[in-house]
Amino acid sequence: MKPDLYICHTPYQVLVEVCRAFGAPCPPEMLLSASVPGAGALAKRLEATGLFANVRIFNEEKCGNAFQEGFLRTLLFQRLAGRRNVEKYYGFRLDGAAYRDVYIHNDWSVLGRYLQDKGISYILCEDTFASTCSADHSLILRQREQPHFALRRALGCGYLYWGDWKKVKTIETESLARATVPFARERLTERSQKAAFAALTKEQKALLCSVFLTAPLPADCAGAVLLLTRDFVSEHLTDEATQRRMYKAVAEQYCAGGPLFVKAHPRDASDYAALFPGAVVLDRTMPSEVLNFALPFRFARAVTVESTVLKAFEAADEKVSLTLDEALALPGV
């Protein structure tokens, strides 16, 4: 039997695909983007589970740019340039016929473009929890407003992302009833990740902890409060000093009353141990959803700023989500 291939760009996506691997008919393969923090160590832990036939790391930054100067050159030669950048210069090759299904969450990536360059059909998975059920799908709508969109889609010319490429097999959604993406219902397939998390056995939870927990967690912290960050600096929405003051103010306003835990976004490289002396700073590469079953206690409150991280988080009695404007308006920022 042919294996499936999972392509992941974030720790959350790895968590989703490990859960999928539990029910795979034969050991799947995983292709892990080097953009995942600690990808090398994570790959070794994934291989140690015995769930996967192999786990490979792919560094997309080494593959160059497939886009040419000028519309016609891009239209005619970008697929050739993309394959050349990956196969000739990087020395990496995928054979679509070797897999039963290919799953990818970010088809706008170099690896997503490479699948399109090779004509390899794929299943598009949700980038974040229930992302197909969110209110904002402006990226898809703007793509469809570009010149010659219908012709490009029909002929397969150029890259089309977020499920618009004509050879996308299906688009997974957390809920068909709540999905808001502008696609015909027959293009969607329901796969509830919330249900998948809830169905995990004790043994499966222990295996997930072995993959994602790199240090022991406290056994009991009654009344603990969790601060989950987002890296606004890398998104050019604020500077490092302002972000530090903002999270300090958020913690003072919303995280008092119990021991403080901090879970940073994987891309957030700020030193929160220095910013919050005495706080428990969790591994930033761990998906926050792992805390739903990894701790013997619940948090009194979980707090974040303008992030979707709390959508699938169930280990807190109260969840507080501030907008960036609200957080920046706090005293002391």
Side-chain angles (χ1 to χ4, degrees), residues 313-328:
F313 192 79
E314 300 177 352
D317 296 330
E318 180 186 5
K319 295 191 285 188
V320 176
S321 183
L322 305 173
T323 68
L324 180 58
D325 288 340
E326 287 173 336
L328 290 174

Side-chain angles (χ1 to χ4, degrees), residues 290-312:
V290 173
L291 295 174
N292 289 341
F293 52 80
L295 292 171
F297 63 89
R298 290 177 59 81
F299 292 101
R301 178 183 294 166
V303 182
T304 192
V305 178
E306 208 155 291
S307 171
T308 61
V309 68
L310 292 180
K311 289 199 298 183

Side-chain angles (χ1 to χ4, degrees), residues 7-8 29 50 67 72 75 77 114 143 151 163 201 211 223 236 251 253 272 300 324 327:
I7 301 176
C8 300
E29 298 181 13
F67 294 92
L72 285 178
L75 191 65
F77 300 117
Y114 178 66
Q143 176 172 258
L151 183 63
T201 66
V211 171
H236 308 291
Q253 182 77 21
Y272 289 104
L324 180 58

